[in-house]
Amino acid sequence: PGVVLGLSGGIDSALTLMIAVDALGAERVQVVMMPSRYTSDMSVEDAALQANRLGVKHSVIPIEPLFETALASLRDEFAGRAADTTEENLQSRCRMLLLMGISNKTGRMLLTTGNKSEMAVGYATLYGDMAGGYAPIKDCSKMRVYRLAAYRNSLVTHGEAPVIPRRVIEREPSAELRADQRDVDSLPPYETLDPILEAFIEEDCSVDEIVGRGFARETVLRVLGMVRRNEYKRRQSPPGVRISRRAFGRDWRYPITNGYRN
């Protein structure tokens, strides 16, 4: 009967929605905006704007009640421990609970909206935003996501509004799982991260070879360490279309654990 996906107001879910509508038609696509205490007004507005422009079924379900209940249930277990990524992951898993419920009830397949850069370094939540039956942009780096979004917008007829709101493309990327969060708080800028990942994953370059391309050794070691530590996550991710020279899955053979360092 179609597909369902979480529409966050960010670039990845915006591109995933556009691909789904182009492939299946708007009548077979449903999107769900699931705001939390950290979701900006900009995200809510841009998600609604894109959904309305494309004519897809659009629901808004706040996750705050679920999140509060989860925190209350875990209060004793978390006592004396400072807040960290645990609380961030809980929000992502609250959203998964809602999306999978809709998927099960309606028969619509849940689309996963994560990109290759996130999958490579583990900047995604198992049983949260990684949940789903198919990941259309799984083999698209973050910078490729931006290029594809800009390309799709260029196809609109003169005078028409862009199908992906410009603010979605221009805003600084953020998971919005804590106050004032930015992706660069956890990762190198994507302009640096993506070329390092491409050199390692698609070209089999060594640390020295990547450093020789002008990247700081400390940054290269950090990125490759994240890739190696997060293989267990990628083994549990949904399948996706292959568009690069090497995609995660059949093309990628890497151990979940190892006894060596960079």
Side-chain angles (χ1 to χ4, degrees):
V3 295
V4 60
L5 65 140
L7 189 63
S8 68
I11 186 74
D12 297 320
S13 62
L15 179 61
T16 303
L17 168 58
M18 194 67 259
I19 293 170
V21 170
D22 283 347
L24 304 174
E27 71 281 358
R28 299 186 67 196
V29 179
Q30 177 180 359
V31 297
V32 188
M33 163 46 102
M34 296 163 287
S36 75
R37 63 185 71 174
Y38 303 117
T39 302
S40 66
D41 292 341
M42 180 194 308
S43 295
V44 177
E45 293 166 4
D46 289 345
L49 179 61
Q50 186 184 12
N52 290 333
R53 282 181 182 173
L54 294 174
V56 298
K57 179 177 172 60
H58 175 219
S59 306
V60 178
I61 309 176
I63 64 165
E64 196 63 26
L66 274 176
F67 185 42
E68 287 285 2
T69 299
L71 290 176
S73 298
L74 292 164
R75 184 175 294 118
D76 292 343
E77 300 295 330
F78 289 178
R81 299 175 183 268
D84 54 19
T85 55
T86 304
E87 286 76 10
E88 296 179 28
N89 290 339
L90 277 174
Q91 295 168 68
S92 184
R93 289 168 180 144
C94 286
R95 292 184 170 113
M96 178 277 298
L97 186 67
L98 297 173
L99 289 170
M100 284 304 303
I102 293 171
S103 175
N104 291 160
K105 185 63 68 175
T106 65
R108 295 178 184 266
M109 183 173 66
L110 175 58
L111 294 183
T112 308
T113 61
N115 62 65
K116 189 173 189 177
S117 303
E118 295 171 345
M119 297 288 186
V121 298
Y123 194 59
T125 303
L126 270 177
Y127 324 120
D129 57 312
M130 290 180 67
Y134 193 67
I137 63 170
K138 180 181 180 179
D139 199 33
C140 296
S141 68
K142 188 73 169 186
M143 297 308 296
R144 187 187 294 270
V145 167
Y146 280 111
R147 293 195 299 272
L148 287 171
Y151 168 72
R152 184 60 182 81
N153 273 355
S154 73
L155 301 180
V156 299
T157 304
H158 180 69
E160 288 184 345
V163 287
I164 298 176
R166 288 192 178 91
R167 194 165 59 173
V168 173
I169 299 175
E170 295 169 355
R171 67 182 298 190
E172 186 170 11
S174 169
E176 293 192 321
L177 295 173
R178 64 172 183 269
D180 301 317
Q181 185 180 29
R182 304 177 305 161
D183 286 9
V184 292
D185 297 335
S186 304
L187 304 172
Y190 289 110
E191 295 85 352
T192 299
L193 177 64
D194 284 354
I196 293 175
L197 291 173
E198 182 176 347
F200 180 61
I201 296 166
E202 299 180 25
E203 301 178 38
D204 286 324
C205 290
S206 67
V207 171
D208 288 340
E209 289 172 327
I210 301 174
V211 171
R213 297 186 179 188
F215 299 101
R217 181 173 293 272
E218 179 182 354
T219 302
V220 174
L221 292 176
R222 177 189 170 204
V223 170
L224 268 54
M226 288 190 285
V227 174
R228 288 166 173 156
R229 285 193 301 275
N230 286 286
E231 178 64 22
Y232 78 99
K233 281 190 179 182
R234 292 189 291 273
R235 295 286 182 93
Q236 300 178 68
S237 64
V241 64
R242 173 186 181 273
I243 63 169
S244 70
R245 283 173 288 186
R246 177 179 289 164
F248 294 127
R250 290 182 60 186
D251 299 341
W252 176 256
R253 294 290 184 269
Y254 214 82
I256 292 178
T257 62
N258 60 69
Y260 62 86
R261 298 290 181 183
N262 290 319

